[in-house]
Amino acid sequence: MGTYSYFAQPIENISTNHIILYELLLREWSDERQAWQTPASFEINAQTLVHLLQTALAKLDDHHVSINLTAKQFADPVFTLAITDFVRENMLPRQLTVELVTCPEFAVLKHVSASYRAAGILLALDDVAQITCMRTSKTCCLM
């Protein structure tokens, strides 16, 4: 496992020029290139993700953030518990948005999303996941 960090990309309301949230983009250090790069795999473990999230929040003035999860991470009970516990203890409701970069099976999405929503976590489909989900399912409602 490599060295990871989140890089915060501000998302602004173009009418007000006010930052509405930061998208936390996962990067991995490359010794070979001596630079941060997009990781080959986003499948980091729950402990690493929570540590990275905690580190990022300590550096940001606004704690409205979004993170990307794969379908596998989203559905993993250990992951779900780690993220929901962290949010309940360290964030206000609706400060964290989880963006799914791959769309899980609809039954899994419906079942697991209840735990995230109960912790005040918002859910969204990343552009790629949205296209995939819409091709494989007639509806993809997270409620």
Side-chain angles (χ1 to χ4, degrees):
M1 178 97 29
T3 301
Y4 294 97
S5 183
Y6 274 132
F7 281 64
Q9 174 178 305
I11 308 297
E12 288 187 4
N13 177 324
I14 59 172
S15 297
T16 64
N17 292 326
H18 177 74
I19 295 172
I20 56 175
L21 68 88
Y22 289 94
E23 183 171 7
L24 300 181
L25 304 170
L26 186 65
R27 296 296 179 255
E28 182 177 24
W29 179 255
S30 169
D31 285 332
E32 180 182 319
R33 296 179 64 206
Q34 290 293 296
W36 291 99
Q37 62 186 24
T38 302
S41 172
F42 289 89
E43 297 289 342
I44 61 173
N45 64 43
Q47 182 180 2
T48 300
L49 184 136
V50 167
H51 172 73
L52 293 173
L53 183 55
Q54 188 171 30
T55 301
L57 291 176
K59 295 177 181 179
L60 294 172
D61 56 347
D62 186 338
H63 291 171
H64 287 88
V65 297
S66 71
I67 59 172
N68 294 319
L69 294 184
T70 65
K72 180 179 174 183
Q73 290 168 320
F74 174 77
D76 181 344
V78 172
F79 231 92
T80 302
L81 185 61
I83 294 172
T84 56
D85 281 353
F86 176 82
V87 168
R88 283 187 181 108
E89 294 171 13
N90 299 282
M91 299 178 79
L92 297 173
R94 304 178 66 83
Q95 281 189 318
L96 178 65
T97 299
V98 166
E99 290 187 43
L100 297 172
V101 296
T102 52
C103 193
E105 294 290 325
F106 183 71
V108 172
L109 180 66
K110 185 176 179 182
H111 175 74
V112 177
S113 66
S115 296
Y116 285 90
R117 288 191 329 270
I121 298 170
L122 301 173
L123 299 173
L125 296 175
D126 190 86
D127 295 349
V128 175
Q130 186 175 15
I131 292 167
T132 304
C133 191
M134 295 307 169
R135 286 183 182 159
T136 60
S137 173
K138 295 197 188 292
T139 58
C140 200
C141 179
L142 300 178
M143 301 191 64

